[in-house]
Amino acid sequence: MTLLASVVSCSRVRLFACFLRLGSQQASTLQLHTGASLAAKSYYEVLVLGGGSGGISMAARMKRKVGAENVAIVEPSETHFYQPIWTLVGAGAKPLSSSGRPTANVIPSGVEWIKARVVDLNPDKNCIHTDDDKKISYKYLIIALGIQLDYEKIKGLPEGFAHPKIGSNYSVRTVEKTWKALQDFKEGNAIFTFPNTPVKCAGAPQKIMYLSEAYFRKTGKRPKANIIFNTSLGAIFGVKKYADALQKIIQERALTVNYKQNLIEVRADKQEAVFENLDKPGETQVISYEMLHVTPPMSPPDVLKTSPVADAAGWVDVDKDTLQHKRYPNVFGIGDCTNLPTSKTAAAVAAQSGILDRTISLIMKNQIPVKKYDGYTSCPLVTGYNRVILAEFNYNAEPLETFPFDQSKERLSMYLMKADMMPFLYWNLMLRGYWGGPAFLRKLFHLGKS
C-alpha cells in the first residue's frame, strides 16, 4: 500500500489506503468456515448456487441478513481460485500457489457448504437437485454458477495440452504451461487467440500477448519472435478510448493483429493452429507456431442451458438493472452465468453484489427494488511487467473511471493495483461481503471536479 501511494502521490489515494487498513482490520475479526459442517438440511431461506466470487460474496451478505444457519452454498470444488491473477502466473510474474485457497476457508462461518454439483433447477417448485440425489428447497435462490470452458470445441483439445509449446491462462491445469512455453520459446510465431463466443475477462487474451512481448525483449528473443493475435472479434477492444491506446501500443511494438479469425483446430504434434475466416465461412488457414496461447470457447454451464431460468442462449435471464430474474421473482443471478450485457469480470461481480444485496433486501420486505446496476465493469489491461491501462466502463461502453487522471495511459501505479491491491481487496473484503465496487471512491476522487 505504501508503495502504491508513493507512486501515485495523491492525498486521496492515501485516504483510500487508510480505508483499506480499516477494512482489513474489520474483516480480520471474522471467523471463516474451516470445520466440517453438520448434515445438510433440505430447506434454506437463501440458497446460493456456486462458490466462486459471486456466490461467496453474496453468501456473506445474506448471512448478515437472515443468519448463517439459514444460508447454504452448493459448490463441488475443494479449492477457490482468484482467477484474475492467472494472467501474471502465465507470464511468470506470480506463483500459481498465490491464486488459491481451500474452499472451506472462504465460506462464511456458519454458512452450510453443500459439497455437491447442481444437476437440475426447478424454480416452479422452489427446489434444486444435486448429483448425490439430494433435493434442496429454498425461499430465495441466488445463481452464481459462472461460465463453462469448452476446450473440446476446438479439434485437438484438450488432449493437445499434453504437448509442449501450448498453454492457456484460463485453467489451473494449463496456466503454468503458458509460462513454460514462454521460457522455451526460441524463434518463430507466438500466437494468441480469442474465440467466437462470450468469454470471461475479455482483455486476458491480449494481456498475455503484451507480457510475452515484454519477456521476449527482456531475454533478447524479440527479434526472432513474430507475435500474432488472431481474434474472432472485429476490434481490439469494445471501448474506443482504450482501443485507441491499445492500437498505439500494437503499432509501437510491431504486433500483428488479425480480425475475424477463429481457432478451430490445434495439431499439437505438428505445432500447427488452424483458423477459420469468419467473414468467409469455410475458408481456413494453417499457421505453425513456436508458442500458442489458447483462449477457449465458453458457454453457460450445461445445467443452465435447458433450465427454466435460462434465456434462449442459456444464460440466467435477469433484469439488467436489479439482477432479479425476469420470470421468477425469488430467483436472482450474478456474474458470468447471467445475460447482463456487460463484460464478465470479477470487478463487475463486485459491483453487482452491492446492487443485488439491496435488491434482495427490498424484495424480502415486499418492496420494489430501486437501486440500479449501471453495467460497471473493469479490465486492468496489463501491457507489460510494470504497466497497466485500467479500463473501466458501463453498459453503454462509456468510460466510468475511478481515478482523477487519464486511465487510458500505461501506469506503474495501476500495475501495482492489479498485482497487489486487487488480490487484497478480493480475499479480505469482497469475499466477506464488504466490497461492492469503487463507486464511492469515484465520488471521493472526483469531489470538486466539474
Side-chain angles (χ1 to χ4, degrees):
M1 287 303 306
T2 303
L3 180 57
L4 179 66
S6 66
V7 171
V8 179
S9 186
C10 172
S11 60
R12 294 188 178 100
V13 173
R14 287 194 292 271
L15 183 59
F16 182 33
C18 179
F19 158 76
L20 285 179
R21 286 194 295 272
L22 290 173
S24 177
Q25 291 166 7
Q26 180 184 32
S28 66
T29 62
L30 298 177
Q31 293 297 313
L32 295 182
H33 178 115
T34 56
S37 61
L38 299 175
K41 299 185 296 184
S42 60
Y43 171 84
Y44 295 89
E45 187 167 352
V46 179
L47 183 63
V48 181
L49 305 185
S53 57
I56 298 294
S57 300
M58 290 310 303
R61 290 173 179 270
M62 294 300 100
K63 170 186 171 178
R64 295 196 288 270
K65 291 196 187 309
V66 301
E69 70 279 5
N70 297 311
V71 181
I73 296 177
V74 182
E75 169 58 49
S77 303
E78 292 278 0
T79 306
H80 178 103
F81 290 101
Y82 176 61
Q83 297 179 30
I85 207 69
W86 285 351
T87 286
L88 299 182
V89 173
K94 290 283 186 179
L96 180 59
S97 58
S98 69
S99 70
R101 296 186 183 181
T103 298
N105 289 5
V106 298
I107 293 180
S109 175
V111 169
E112 188 68 45
W113 176 19
I114 300 171
K115 199 188 310 184
R117 189 178 304 276
V118 181
V119 295
D120 178 66
L121 287 78
N122 190 340
D124 292 301
K125 295 185 177 180
N126 296 320
C127 69
I128 64 105
H129 293 85
T130 60
D131 59 357
D132 55 357
D133 296 323
K134 298 288 177 57
K135 173 184 174 182
I136 306 169
S137 300
Y138 57 81
K139 185 174 182 180
Y140 302 101
L141 180 69
I142 299 174
I143 305 173
L145 288 171
I147 197 167
Q148 180 172 288
L149 305 181
D150 295 326
Y151 285 104
E152 70 281 356
K153 290 184 178 178
I154 299 172
K155 186 178 179 180
L157 295 182
E159 61 272 16
F161 287 114
H163 292 264
K165 310 290 187 178
I166 177 175
S168 176
N169 289 352
Y170 277 88
S171 169
V172 66
R173 293 184 291 274
T174 57
V175 62
E176 290 181 305
K177 290 183 64 65
T178 302
W179 174 228
K180 184 69 166 59
L182 194 53
Q183 290 175 295
D184 291 346
F185 184 93
K186 292 181 176 61
E187 64 176 307
N189 293 328
I191 305 175
F192 305 84
T193 74
F194 192 110
N196 190 29
T197 67
V199 300
K200 57 182 174 181
C201 194
Q206 60 181 295
K207 295 178 194 179
I208 187 59
M209 171 180 65
Y210 302 126
L211 284 162
S212 297
E213 193 275 339
Y215 179 79
F216 294 151
R217 275 190 281 118
K218 178 181 176 182
T219 56
K221 298 178 181 178
R222 184 62 182 93
K224 296 183 178 181
N226 181 31
I227 300 173
I228 303 170
F229 185 55
N230 272 11
T231 173
S232 64
L233 302 179
I236 196 66
F237 200 75
V239 180
K240 185 179 185 305
K241 177 177 182 177
Y242 308 118
D244 290 346
L246 293 170
Q247 286 288 4
K248 184 178 179 182
I249 290 171
I250 288 167
Q251 292 172 5
E252 289 174 348
R253 300 180 192 176
L255 308 175
T256 299
V257 179
N258 299 313
Y259 298 105
K260 296 293 185 175
Q261 298 294 314
N262 184 42
L263 179 67
I264 60 172
E265 181 181 357
V266 174
R267 301 167 183 168
D269 56 334
K270 299 179 181 178
Q271 292 179 212
E272 293 178 345
V274 184
F275 294 89
E276 180 180 20
N277 184 343
L278 295 178
D279 285 334
K280 299 178 180 179
E283 179 180 296
T284 61
Q285 180 184 18
V286 180
I287 308 177
S288 62
Y289 63 82
E290 170 69 3
M291 173 187 176
L292 176 65
H293 178 270
V294 177
T295 300
M298 302 182 202
S299 67
D302 288 339
V303 68
L304 293 178
K305 290 174 182 173
T306 57
S307 163
V309 302
D311 65 7
W315 307 101
V316 179
D317 195 14
V318 297
D319 182 277
K320 75 182 185 69
D321 295 327
T322 65
L323 281 70
Q324 184 179 25
H325 197 274
K326 291 180 180 178
R327 298 186 300 280
Y328 300 100
N330 64 329
V331 175
F332 309 87
I334 185 171
D336 298 350
C337 67
T338 67
N339 61 359
L340 293 170
T342 193
S343 291
K344 300 178 185 295
T345 69
V349 172
Q352 292 164 21
S353 70
I355 299 297
L356 185 52
D357 190 359
R358 298 184 188 185
T359 291
I360 294 177
S361 293
L362 290 173
I363 294 295
M364 287 178 169
K365 298 173 184 176
N366 294 317
Q367 298 177 13
I368 298 174
V370 292
K371 186 69 174 177
K372 293 185 177 182
Y373 175 50
D374 58 9
Y376 172 83
T377 190
S378 173
C379 182
L381 292 157
V382 184
T383 55
Y385 282 91
N386 58 3
R387 291 292 183 270
V388 158
I389 290 173
L390 183 60
E392 295 180 290
F393 48 98
N394 60 17
Y395 276 137
N396 299 320
E398 300 166 337
L400 196 60
E401 298 184 344
T402 297
F403 298 99
F405 47 69
D406 184 359
Q407 290 180 202
S408 68
K409 296 186 180 301
E410 296 176 279
R411 297 180 188 273
L412 171 59
S413 59
M414 297 297 96
Y415 178 86
L416 295 173
M417 174 172 287
K418 158 71 177 177
D420 300 314
M421 184 186 291
M422 287 181 176
F424 172 87
L425 282 173
Y426 184 82
W427 295 114
N428 293 285
L429 297 179
M430 181 176 165
L431 291 188
R432 302 179 183 191
Y434 291 111
W435 179 252
F440 80 97
L441 288 174
R442 195 177 305 121
K443 294 178 182 178
L444 174 68
F445 290 151
H446 292 273
L447 198 63
K449 292 183 67 177
S450 58

